[in-house]
Amino acid sequence: MYNILIVKYGEIGVKGKNRYLFENKLIRNIKNMLRPIGNFNVYKEYGRIYVDLEDYDYEEVIEEVRKVFGIVGVSPAIRAEKDYDKLKEVALKMLEEKIEDGVKTFKVDSRRGDKSFRLTSQEMSVDIGGYLLTKLDGKIGVDVRKPEVTVHCEYREFHTMVYCDSVPGYGGLPLGTNGKAMSLLSGGIDSPVASWMVAKRGVALELVHFHSYPFTNERSQEKVADLSKILAKYCGTLRLNKVNILEIQKAIAENCNESEATILSRRFMMRIANRLAEIRHCDALITGESIGQVASQTIQGLTCTNAVVDIPVFRPLIAMDKSDIIEVAEKIGTFETSIIPEEDCCTVFSPKKPTTKPRLDKIELSESKLDVEKLIQEAVDGVEVVEIEFE
Ligand code: ATP
Ligand code: MG
């Protein structure tokens, strides 16, 4: 029945003269998102974005379109030739389907796009509402305050449009409109959620994962690649930088106090990520840290890991509870993969009793026993890059 999708976007509207740049980006992102299904006609008309459905299943297409950041809702609609009687027939057909689904009340909301038309928007609503009530005799009632369904009818310059439903999107801003950040992606629950949340604000991502191969196995790296693939559904092709930090962890284990091992290796991760960010033109880092979740995420722990970076570190989960983080992970589809038990480089060398209140001066003193610069450089030189394709 439906032949077109209406894409509604929110915050873009407030961007003044940059608006058209955002809209064009959004159109490109929608086309990219739909590429695995087919080549769609996505275009802008009168301040709206449309997707022609052709013969595709509308539910399948909406499911993809709504993942595009910047979209607040998607409505399946019927576009027809400019004929007022035809418009009423289409509205009737759509409302009949709603009645079959059990809907009991409705209202009509109209828009006259063609100012030369004899009826105003208000008059159109009254006229179409009356027509629908007569045709559907007793099967449905009008409720202008709290209708179960609103039939949107538009009489535009070159066509008419009717729609009822709106499937919510995730909001945010079109990807690529707010620079690029390097996200530290572990195999856990948190970091994929953190990555997704920042990407939702229009920030393009690049990923870095630290492993201790052969102490950690290949499957744990595949798990991270799988998580990256899920993120790529929202972000397009992603670059995953894999860095082996085994030598660093060995050096820490040999030279430093065991209780400080986690904080020390986290500082190395941050430094390496910072270095890669510079090389790859990323202006910020992203982590999945949340206050107090583990020993290294106390305020003192965060102070120590934060002290080695010179670009902003985005920690979108900082004040979120685990249950709320899991809720997002489920919504975006990373949870099932995140909970697969795999080895993690942090657990391999993790101390039995990690310090929860590390002091920066003490940590720096411990670290002075290591050739920090050499260890970082070797790790960075050994980076392995995987292009994560969006499927
Ligand atoms: P996650 O669920 O994201 O693994 P976590 O609760 O296990 O987080 P930590 O292990 O303390 O917390 O890690 C904090 C953050 O540091 C992670 O969210 C991630 O951004 C980064 N990080 C930790 N381990 C790695 C790793 N092996 N590779 C890349 N980043 C990592
Ligand atoms: Mg972890």
Side-chain angles (χ1 to χ4, degrees):
M1 161 165 88
Y2 301 110
N3 58 12
I4 196 166
L5 298 183
I6 305 171
V7 176
K8 293 175 181 160
Y9 40 94
E11 281 184 66
I12 301 173
V14 300
K15 291 283 175 184
K17 66 175 190 283
N18 282 338
R19 180 182 165 126
Y20 81 97
L21 292 176
F22 279 76
E23 288 170 333
N24 290 347
K25 189 81 194 171
L26 196 53
I27 288 173
R28 267 206 303 282
N29 293 353
I30 294 171
K31 279 189 178 165
N32 279 338
M33 187 67 88
L34 290 174
R35 194 142 295 147
I37 303 182
N39 251 331
F40 284 80
N41 194 17
V42 184
Y43 52 97
K44 195 165 58 178
E45 215 175 79
Y46 301 113
R48 261 195 193 163
I49 290 174
Y50 293 107
V51 180
D52 283 339
L53 277 172
E54 316 287 350
D55 292 326
Y56 291 95
D57 171 45
Y58 80 97
E59 282 173 325
E60 186 193 359
V61 180
I62 288 182
E63 203 40 53
E64 297 308 306
V65 171
R66 65 188 283 269
K67 286 195 206 120
V68 177
F69 296 136
I71 292 175
V72 295
V74 185
S75 296
I78 297 178
R79 184 210 284 253
E81 69 266 29
K82 190 180 170 185
D83 176 334
Y84 186 62
D85 291 329
K86 178 81 191 288
L87 167 68
K88 287 161 121 176
E89 279 168 34
V90 172
L92 177 63
K93 202 167 85 180
M94 218 180 267
L95 196 54
E96 277 171 340
E97 290 229 340
K98 291 286 157 201
I99 291 170
E100 272 177 36
D101 294 341
V103 168
K104 295 270 184 289
T105 57
F106 81 103
K107 79 166 181 182
V108 177
D109 184 67
S110 306
R111 200 185 289 194
R112 176 183 67 163
D114 174 3
K115 296 298 170 209
S116 65
F117 186 51
R118 62 185 162 84
L119 300 177
T120 64
S121 298
Q122 185 60 35
E123 287 164 350
M124 265 177 74
S125 291
V126 173
D127 183 55
I128 299 169
Y131 166 83
L132 293 174
L133 272 180
T134 322
K135 288 281 179 187
L136 294 169
D137 187 34
K139 286 192 219 142
I140 195 163
V142 170
D143 183 345
V144 288
R145 289 236 174 83
K146 260 193 150 195
E148 286 172 57
V149 66
T150 299
V151 188
H152 298 269
C153 297
E154 302 182 351
Y155 189 83
R156 296 189 165 256
E157 218 165 334
F158 302 107
H159 58 257
T160 63
M161 189 88 77
V162 182
Y163 66 97
C164 293
D165 301 325
S166 181
V167 181
Y170 293 114
L173 295 165
L175 198 78
T177 54
N178 270 315
K180 189 163 84 161
M182 180 69 71
S183 186
L184 287 82
L185 190 69
S186 68
I189 296 170
D190 304 333
S191 45
V193 171
S195 309
W196 183 87
M197 284 175 76
V198 175
K200 184 158 93 72
R201 295 303 302 167
V203 178
L205 300 184
E206 182 146 343
L207 309 171
V208 56
H209 174 66
F210 301 100
H211 62 88
S212 324
Y213 185 80
F215 272 60
T216 52
N217 60 22
E218 273 170 15
R219 278 201 317 278
S220 68
Q221 290 180 49
E222 279 159 22
K223 178 183 171 186
V224 172
D226 287 344
L227 286 170
S228 308
K229 248 180 229 166
I230 299 170
L231 289 173
K233 284 190 186 156
Y234 300 93
C235 302
T237 304
L238 282 170
R239 205 180 142 102
L240 170 63
N241 300 276
K242 297 201 284 183
V243 181
N244 192 323
I245 54 165
L246 182 57
E247 289 311 314
I248 294 174
Q249 289 177 305
K250 279 185 186 164
I252 293 172
E254 279 161 22
N255 297 289
C256 309
N257 190 331
E258 197 207 66
S259 67
E260 295 173 345
T262 307
I263 289 286
L264 288 168
S265 66
R266 301 265 316 118
R267 276 163 67 92
F268 274 94
M269 287 186 192
M270 296 299 268
R271 284 195 182 96
I272 296 167
N274 197 153
R275 193 71 59 91
L276 289 172
E278 264 165 40
I279 300 169
R280 302 289 310 152
H281 307 289
C282 298
D283 299 315
L285 300 181
I286 304 166
T287 74
E289 290 160 311
S290 167
I291 303 172
Q293 208 189 69
V294 290
S296 59
Q297 296 176 25
T298 57
I299 294 184
Q300 293 86 345
L302 291 167
T303 305
C304 292
T305 47
N306 203 52
V308 294
V309 289
D310 55 18
I311 52 177
V313 181
F314 297 150
R315 300 179 176 88
L317 314 186
I318 198 71
M320 282 172 77
D321 291 349
K322 197 72 183 188
S323 56
D324 299 331
I325 299 170
I326 289 174
E327 205 173 294
V328 182
E330 282 174 334
K331 182 175 82 172
I332 67 176
T334 52
F335 184 70
E336 292 300 321
T337 307
S338 287
I339 56 172
I340 297 170
E342 276 304 342
E343 295 159 347
D344 179 271
C345 70
C346 297
T347 49
V348 177
F349 287 88
S350 81
K352 281 178 222 67
K353 270 199 161 179
T355 140
T356 52
K357 287 190 178 162
R359 271 181 39 196
L360 186 55
D361 53 349
K362 280 197 177 171
I363 293 290
E364 283 171 347
L365 189 65
S366 302
E367 222 171 56
S368 66
K369 296 174 196 142
L370 307 172
D371 189 344
V372 174
E373 182 50 39
K374 181 165 167 270
L375 288 167
I376 292 177
Q377 197 53 51
E378 280 171 3
V380 169
D381 289 344
V383 63
E384 196 188 327
V385 178
V386 192
E387 289 279 330
I388 304 289
E389 295 287 335
F390 143 80
E391 325 180 309

